[in-house]
Amino acid sequence: MRARLSSVRAHRHRVPLLRPFVTAARRTDSVEYVVAEVVLTGEDADGRPVRVTGQGSAAETAAVTGETAQSIERLLMTALRPALEGRTGDLRTFSRLIAATGTGGTSAKAALEVALHDAWGQAAGIPLAELLGGRADGAMPNDMTVSLESPETMAAHARAAFDSGTRILKIKLGSSPEADRRRLGAVVEAVPEVRLRLDANQGWSVEEACRSLAAFAADGLPVDLVEQPVAAADTAGLARVRAESAVPIMADESVWSPDDARRLVDAQAADLFNIKLAKTGGIAAALEIADVAQEAGLKCMMGAMMEPRISITAAAHLAFAHPAVTTIDLDSPAWFAEDVPDGGFAEERGMLRLCGGPGLGLRRLPPEDSAA
Ligand SMILES: [Mg+2]
């Protein structure tokens, strides 16, 4: 379908988190995010007029993407809006126009590109996962993140997540190997039944990573994968860790674009990619990374920053749309003191399902003063 992008708007929101989110790179108590709203007009296949509103979102993640809510809103309204508003085309055309709007600002671009995908799905009357060629009726096990805290606090958070039905925990590590081993020991003692994903967020040297992973393996810890053990730019280091590790290595901060994915494949530096829309700048590039993975025989996880439900719903649709995406790490809405709007996806006993409905399947967020 070809359609006209009639308007682009942005609203800012700040939401406290229910508990601090702590990684090797940052500590966060609240999240400010931007909702991008687009109005699309056109005609459906039968020539009937269509007018739909789509939404996407982007959260401040200065420690990772360098973007604040202010910079996201500014890019949306002063660069992306003038470049796209009033233009007519198909969805692919708009994705290309967004990607061509300079480098950086990937969160802002993702918010707008997701809003357009939501609108296109609504115009077609089908869930986004189906618009992307997948099915919207499956279920995937989700995980719950345990922040980088004291061993006792991490054990308590792990137990609480287990009691609420989660069977996969993502454990934030990345300090000294000895301290990380104590944290992991406390978690495993508290919840011996869970599977673990470890995320060092670039916190280890190559030597520390190799030493830690060998120790974890020797102790028989239930670790399914290790995310970004070393610095994002250290492709050779990542490849060395992967060569020595008995556990699959996932690239996160090292993979932002399809070119990054190809470089990591060529260097044999990763077994898995963590795809986040806030890094790729939207769905088109995310799918391209998944294609690169599939061709190389790698698998992907759909992850996200500490982002609101709109962003997470988009990531979930993509997870159900591409065969190379076999795992998800989409727990951030459960951290938000105010998790709006309704719909999109539902989670029960650790299993995530899409709610159905066209596009993202969300209810619209009531407009708010953009200065709020
Ligand atoms: Mg990560």
Side-chain angles (χ1 to χ4, degrees):
M1 185 189 91
R2 283 171 60 80
R4 180 173 185 272
L5 177 52
S6 296
S7 79
V8 176
R9 295 185 349 163
H11 316 288
R12 267 157 73 178
H13 307 263
R14 179 172 284 285
V15 174
L17 298 180
L18 295 170
R19 57 185 178 279
F21 176 64
V22 190
T23 76
R26 64 172 176 142
R27 178 186 182 92
T28 312
D29 297 292
S30 70
V31 173
E32 191 171 16
Y33 65 93
V34 179
V35 174
E37 202 175 81
V38 300
V39 175
L40 203 66
T41 53
E43 288 180 354
D44 68 12
D46 301 320
R48 283 190 294 265
V50 170
R51 182 186 169 86
V52 289
T53 302
Q55 52 188 342
S57 63
E60 59 175 356
T61 316
V64 186
T65 69
E67 292 169 273
T68 63
Q70 195 180 18
S71 75
I72 290 165
E73 186 179 33
R74 190 169 56 236
L75 189 73
L76 276 167
M77 299 313 282
T78 64
L80 293 164
R81 179 186 179 186
L84 274 76
E85 203 173 66
R87 296 191 72 141
T88 298
D90 58 16
L91 185 52
R92 184 180 289 260
T93 304
F94 281 107
S95 290
R96 286 208 190 102
L97 284 170
I98 291 168
T101 316
T103 53
T106 47
S107 299
K109 289 173 181 169
L112 182 57
E113 209 242 15
V114 163
L116 285 160
H117 277 78
D118 181 27
W120 241 275
Q122 291 183 53
I126 55 174
L128 176 57
E130 288 179 20
L131 186 75
L132 299 175
R135 294 181 56 145
D137 57 357
M140 290 178 91
N142 202 2
D143 64 16
M144 177 54 70
T145 301
V146 176
S147 277
L148 181 63
E149 308 256 17
S150 70
E152 298 73 32
T153 302
M154 291 178 78
H157 288 167
R159 186 73 223 178
F162 181 83
D163 289 343
S164 71
T166 305
R167 293 295 174 267
I168 309 167
L169 295 178
K170 173 155 161 172
I171 308 295
K172 291 291 190 181
L173 297 176
S175 63
S176 78
E178 295 72 27
D180 282 342
R181 180 65 187 83
R182 283 195 294 277
R183 291 185 170 98
L184 217 43
V187 167
V188 171
E189 197 184 317
V191 282
E193 310 91 333
V194 296
R195 300 300 306 178
L196 302 177
R197 298 167 175 170
L198 311 184
D199 190 355
N201 287 105
Q202 316 180 59
W204 290 326
S205 68
V206 172
E207 289 69 29
E208 284 173 336
C210 291
R211 186 150 53 94
S212 285
L213 299 186
F216 301 161
D219 291 346
L221 299 180
V223 177
D224 288 338
L225 61 91
V226 178
E227 219 177 291
Q228 201 65 46
V230 300
D234 189 4
T235 305
L238 197 61
R240 260 186 62 205
V241 175
R242 179 181 175 239
E244 288 199 21
S245 172
V247 176
I249 300 296
M250 173 178 279
D252 180 4
E253 288 92 331
S254 292
V255 57
W256 289 61
S257 66
D259 282 346
D260 289 337
R262 289 183 197 101
R263 190 170 42 75
L264 292 166
V265 166
D266 289 345
Q268 301 189 1
D271 300 289
L272 303 138
F273 295 142
N274 185 344
I275 302 176
K276 298 176 180 171
L277 297 172
K279 292 186 297 179
T280 63
I283 288 168
L287 289 169
E288 208 180 321
I289 292 174
D291 286 343
V292 171
Q294 193 171 23
E295 272 170 39
L298 274 59
K299 301 293 185 201
C300 300
M301 181 162 84
M302 275 312 297
M305 307 298 177
M306 188 47 72
E307 293 179 81
R309 176 165 286 261
I310 301 171
S311 303
I312 298 309
T313 300
H317 277 272
L318 204 151
F320 286 104
H322 199 291
V325 180
T326 55
T327 48
I328 54 172
D329 168 26
L330 299 174
D331 59 321
S332 62
W335 293 66
F336 279 52
E338 188 190 28
D339 175 19
V340 291
D342 290 338
F345 70 89
E347 192 173 325
E348 201 180 338
R349 306 302 295 169
M351 295 299 289
L352 184 147
R353 288 182 171 78
L354 298 171
C355 292
L360 292 176
L362 290 160
R363 278 195 337 159
R364 264 185 76 193
L365 203 60
E368 228 176 76
D369 185 350
S370 81

